[in-house]
Amino acid sequence: MTMRLAIIGAGSIGEKHAAAAASSGVRVARVVDRNSDRAAALADQYGALSDVDAKAVWDDDSIDAVVICVPNHLHRPMALDAMRAGKDVLLEKPMALTTVECDELVDVAEQTRRVLQVGYSHRFTAVGAAARKCIETGELGEIYHAKAHLHLRRGIPGLGGWFTTKALAGGGALIDVGVHLIDLVLFLLGQPQTASITGKAYSKFGVKMEDYVYETMWAGPPHFPGTFDVEDHATALVSFEGGATLDLQVAWACNLPDNALPQSMVAVLGDRGGLAFELFGDHVRLCHPIAGRNADSKLALPAADQMALQMQDFVEAVRTRKHVVGATPIEARRVQTIVDSIYQSSRTNAPVEL
């Protein structure tokens, strides 16, 4: 039977999920957005109904599942309403604003027996999937350290809007894009338990809103009367049980010279080999011994549609009632706990023990 899906939030991310659903054989049946014109425009593309209130979805017994892609502060209430209405949920990242909010989502998913998958889509990139396979073979040996960074020169989204308002977003660069790095490393390393975290969050660029020079802006243009009370740069050292560590760096804006480093990188170091790749790259670089000598190699990869693959994984999870590759509620909660701990460490200037 073809899944009937509702898209909650008809912005750019909602458009991507709708396209992924259509390409995966899923019927986009309803689109909800507070902006009626935007809801209607996306719904018309797929012959769907449009609504301004999600209650229309909760009351529609023909809807099997929903994708929730609304501002962060609405993730928890929307997902709770969906699950209690009997819908399975693909919830955009982050799972919620805090670990406490995540706990409620975990509990309700268990109580209602609904599939709740969180949209950490970098698990489905060609490089992410290939890196996972390389690690699973054991050819890297004992994994003792990972590095993950994303440095944008001037990439603050929606300056003065909900992206830069802590009450609505939960934080800044860390909770926006840093969570993808954290989840991907946890996924690659087999979901290790976190032992301690030392972190620091900085607000250096967005606080000077009218002096902030940008070329392009996701969710822009700037709203100068608005708020910027989040970080635009965060760094952390995460220690896992068993001794492995993660060096994490993420910046919406920083004065790193162009080409000093790749804009993004994930690297995993083992005692027999290592690998590295860019988040949106088309290859994985490997370091490993060959014939008794150290050697590098490049694993070229075909393109992968991470949104479509994520949707197909969600459909399989709904069909079998078992998670496959996508992030489970417990895994997504683990990401949020690391985020919360980095913020706490920054506020107190002290490590956080978990």
Side-chain angles (χ1 to χ4, degrees):
M1 182 181 294
T2 300
M3 175 188 283
R4 289 176 58 85
L5 184 73
I7 305 290
I8 313 294
S12 297
I13 300 301
E15 291 173 354
K16 291 180 180 179
H17 281 291
S23 70
S24 302
V26 174
R27 171 82 166 88
V28 178
R30 282 187 180 270
V31 176
V32 176
D33 196 284
R34 291 176 177 175
N35 183 319
S36 60
D37 291 338
R38 190 161 67 175
L42 184 57
D44 287 349
Q45 293 181 42
Y46 299 96
L49 299 175
S50 67
D51 303 281
V52 295
D53 189 340
K55 189 176 185 300
V57 173
W58 314 151
D59 293 341
D60 186 344
D61 292 337
S62 74
I63 298 296
D64 303 302
V66 300
V67 179
I68 296 174
C69 31
V70 294
N72 296 354
H73 70 289
L74 297 174
H75 286 191
R76 181 193 66 86
M78 283 284 187
L80 291 174
D81 286 348
M83 290 188 289
R84 287 168 175 158
K87 316 302 181 187
D88 295 309
V89 178
L90 175 55
L91 176 62
E92 257 302 332
K93 60 79 191 169
M95 185 177 183
L97 299 187
T98 66
T99 303
V100 172
E101 289 190 357
C102 291
D103 287 338
E104 185 177 9
L105 289 168
V106 170
D107 290 344
V108 172
E110 292 176 352
Q111 293 163 11
T112 60
R113 298 185 179 181
R114 292 293 99 194
V115 171
L116 174 60
Q117 181 173 318
V118 180
Y120 286 116
S121 59
H122 283 272
R123 297 183 179 205
F124 298 95
T125 62
V127 287
R132 174 71 180 266
K133 288 181 180 178
C134 288
I135 293 168
E136 287 179 336
T137 66
E139 64 182 279
L140 304 188
E142 178 189 352
I143 304 301
Y144 62 89
H145 187 60
K147 296 174 70 68
H149 79 242
L150 175 62
H151 293 120
L152 303 179
R153 174 79 80 94
R154 294 291 186 273
I156 298 174
L159 188 63
W162 75 261
F163 271 103
T164 65
T165 303
K166 186 174 178 60
L168 304 180
L174 180 61
I175 203 169
D176 179 40
V177 290
V179 290
H180 273 305
L181 295 172
I182 296 169
D183 177 75
L184 185 53
V185 169
L186 292 176
F187 175 68
L188 294 177
L189 271 55
Q191 299 297 331
Q193 295 295 319
T194 307
S196 66
I197 294 171
T198 301
K200 191 66 180 177
Y202 305 91
S203 297
K204 299 296 182 182
F205 296 87
V207 290
K208 308 167 187 175
M209 282 203 280
E210 296 196 23
D211 293 329
Y212 177 71
V213 178
Y214 71 97
E215 296 178 3
T216 60
M217 182 175 293
W218 162 258
H223 177 60
F224 294 128
T227 300
F228 187 98
D229 61 355
V230 297
E231 81 287 350
D232 43 39
H233 190 153
T235 183
L237 178 65
V238 181
S239 297
F240 300 110
E241 292 181 5
T245 49
L246 163 63
D247 172 13
L248 175 72
Q249 299 179 42
V250 58
W252 271 344
C254 65
N255 284 324
L256 187 69
D258 276 345
N259 302 317
L261 292 170
Q263 186 180 76
S264 68
M265 184 186 74
V266 175
V268 177
L269 307 181
D271 61 0
R272 294 211 309 267
L275 60 79
F277 58 90
E278 296 183 46
L279 284 179
F280 296 98
D282 60 2
H283 64 276
V284 173
R285 291 192 176 275
L286 297 162
C287 171
H288 43 183
I290 297 178
R293 302 178 68 88
N294 294 325
D296 291 343
S297 61
K298 175 180 173 181
L299 178 60
L301 300 164
D305 185 339
Q306 67 195 70
M307 299 299 287
L309 291 172
Q310 177 180 242
M311 181 60 67
Q312 292 158 23
D313 182 85
F314 176 61
V315 171
E316 182 66 9
V318 170
R319 186 186 70 81
T320 63
R321 314 310 297 170
K322 294 180 181 179
H323 286 275
V324 191
V325 175
T328 70
I330 294 296
E331 292 168 352
R333 179 194 183 278
R334 189 172 293 140
V335 174
Q336 187 62 50
T337 299
I338 291 174
V339 169
D340 288 358
S341 299
I342 293 171
Y343 288 144
Q344 179 183 341
S345 177
S346 183
R347 288 193 305 270
T348 61
N349 288 311
V352 174
E353 304 292 332
L354 297 173

